[in-house]
Amino acid sequence: MKEFEFYNPVKVLFGKGQVTKLNELIPAGSRVILIYGGGSIFKNGVYDSIKSSLKGFDLTEFGGIEPNPTYETSMKAVEIIRQKKINYILAAGGGSVIDATKFIAAAVPFNDGDPWKILSEEAEVKEAVPFGCILTLPATGTEMNKNSVISRKSTEEKLAFSVTPVFPKFSILLPDAAGTLPQKQVANGIVDAFVHVTEQYLTYPVNAPIQDRFAEAIMITLIEEGPKVYAKPDDYEAMSNLMWSATMALNGLISCGVPGDWSVHSIGHELTAFHGIDHARTLAIVLPGLWKTLKEEKKAKLVQYAERVWGVKTGSDDEKADAAIEKTEKFFRSLGVGTRLSDYGVKKDTIDRIVKRFEDRKWLSMGDRGLTTPDTTRKALECQL
Ligand code: NZQ
Ligand code: ZN
């Protein structure tokens, strides 16, 4: 196992009825802004619960955060917060609303020019407006981490940042509110959480059996519980298991002391930036392609994954690795998630654009042992045409 630091200060409240505690979680006398998306919180009862718990608070509302949240919309909220001297933010919705809130929270006190620099130049974030989250969609893990991914419409870019001041103060996880999710979003959540685990697991062995088994437990749970939620999003018990799996997949625990490889996400973000494909669907395309391309380099972990997660016990190592890749792709497809570029009408010219972008940015050796070069990226995407 490698050396590591683990820090996660997020207070988590899980399950039905926890929204009633909002008025104890947000300091009395705070001037609060509620940030939300396109209106799902009005349909699943979350908005009403917030209003009744926050009676007596000075509450401003800002809706309209889009999926794949933008810099442009976020900056409108920044203006309002500065003008009204708001000092607490409450995010209610999915990962996009929470990610936008993280960027907004960091942008408000940022005084070193355009806050876009936080994403484009890794400008230092010294402080952020404190905020809490109400999560209604299991997928990203953002409710318990310090990451945020923001898109800029004008330049067709999608970039991430990760800084300690944007850990949420608390997150309320609501599997009951997630019961109104359309099947498509449930499928996205299962795939996104699954790939978060593989990005921290499928590298090379470093004798870290605790992390490996945590990771395998999350993947097995997603394989068992995911299809139940996909078939019936309002199955509260199955949704609870999916939601907690997704949170555990990206709260820092399973990455302790092990190498990571976030190149599936890096490549996937470009597919969203150029074509607007849902985040999880981009991962479902890239992951099998990258594994096919790097099968030899990742073989030890692919075999372990085949044996322990998919129960593949027979055949050569090569056959086990192939079986694991095939079963993963089948699992995604069983959830209605296409794994080929052609499923989304994307052609070869996009591969050229992505490779050129990585070359221009000097992203020449990403991820696990620097294996994701522009050439690897090209091959991985060509496998999935
Ligand atoms: O906008 P509203 O009306 O709320 O509707 C949303 C949205 O249309 C809807 N929704 C949310 N909860 C619902 C609901 N509909 C019915 N019932 C409910 N209970 O679902 C749609 C998608 O929401 P979104 O927040 O975009 O989905 P998700 O949570 O998958 O977030 C995706 C974003 O997170 C980023 C992605 O890149 C993408 O921009 N990620 C963030 C990460 C992080 N911060 O750690 C890691 C991930 O890898 C990912 O990159
Ligand atoms: Zn993701």
Side-chain angles (χ1 to χ4, degrees), residues 13 25 34 59 63 66 109 127 138 143 146 148 171 181 204 222 226 242 259 293 319 327 338 379:
L13 293 88
L25 294 162
L34 167 65
L59 186 66
E66 52 285 88
E127 54 179 327
E143 63 279 6
K146 55 177 177 162
S148 163
S171 282
L181 280 168
Y204 55 92
L222 289 169
L242 170 58
T293 309
E319 285 162 344
K327 283 176 184 292
K379 285 186 182 141

Side-chain angles (χ1 to χ4, degrees), residues 48-236:
D48 293 337
S49 317
I50 292 170
K51 288 290 275 189
S52 81
S53 182
L54 290 187
K55 263 190 205 121
F57 277 81
D58 176 350
L59 186 66
T60 301
E61 295 174 17
F62 183 90
I65 300 293
E66 52 285 88
N68 303 311
T70 63
Y71 161 80
E72 287 86 351
T73 304
S74 302
M75 288 308 289
K76 290 183 190 155
V78 169
E79 274 312 302
I80 294 171
I81 293 170
R82 285 179 178 159
Q83 262 170 22
K84 293 192 151 190
K85 301 201 182 327
I86 284 164
N87 56 14
Y88 209 98
I89 309 178
L90 178 63
S96 293
V97 169
I98 297 176
D99 278 9
T101 296
K102 289 177 175 175
F103 177 68
I104 293 163
V108 169
F110 189 77
N111 59 8
D112 182 23
D114 183 347
W116 180 249
K117 284 163 66 177
I118 296 170
L119 292 138
S120 63
E121 297 175 19
E122 294 181 25
E124 191 188 356
V125 174
K126 298 191 185 98
E127 54 179 327
V129 180
F131 68 94
C133 308
I134 297 179
L135 180 77
T136 65
L137 194 173
T140 62
T142 186
E143 63 279 6
M144 204 176 167
N145 70 37
K146 55 177 177 162
N147 311 332
S148 163
V149 191
I150 301 293
S151 299
R152 188 162 187 169
K153 270 196 268 184
S154 58
T155 52
E156 289 188 315
E157 284 173 287
K158 182 170 185 180
L159 297 172
F161 75 104
S162 178
V163 296
T164 299
V166 302
F167 267 120
K169 297 291 173 213
F170 65 83
S171 282
I172 301 179
L173 278 51
L174 294 179
D176 48 342
T180 58
L181 280 168
Q183 260 194 323
K184 181 185 171 212
Q185 293 299 344
V186 172
N188 284 352
I190 298 163
V191 172
D192 193 21
F194 198 90
V195 179
H196 292 161
V197 179
T198 61
E199 302 273 51
Q200 300 163 90
Y201 169 83
L202 224 134
T203 53
Y204 55 92
V206 291
N207 192 14
I210 287 278
Q211 287 86 328
D212 276 2
R213 290 197 169 95
F214 280 157
E216 288 153 1
I218 296 170
M219 289 187 282
I220 291 167
T221 306
L222 289 169
I223 292 164
E224 286 178 3
E225 300 291 309
K228 294 184 205 166
V229 196
Y230 180 63
K232 201 171 173 301
D234 63 353
D235 177 339
Y236 180 77

Side-chain angles (χ1 to χ4, degrees), residues 6-58:
F6 178 68
Y7 173 70
N8 193 315
V10 184
K11 177 169 182 159
V12 173
L13 293 88
F14 188 97
K16 279 180 195 153
Q18 298 283 21
V19 179
T20 56
K21 298 184 185 151
L22 261 186
N23 54 12
E24 297 160 26
L25 294 162
I26 299 181
S30 300
R31 285 183 304 280
V32 184
I33 187 167
L34 167 65
I35 308 249
Y36 61 92
S40 68
I41 60 163
F42 297 107
K43 295 183 197 133
N44 54 22
V46 168
Y47 178 79
D48 293 337
S49 317
I50 292 170
K51 288 290 275 189
S52 81
S53 182
L54 290 187
K55 263 190 205 121
F57 277 81
D58 176 350

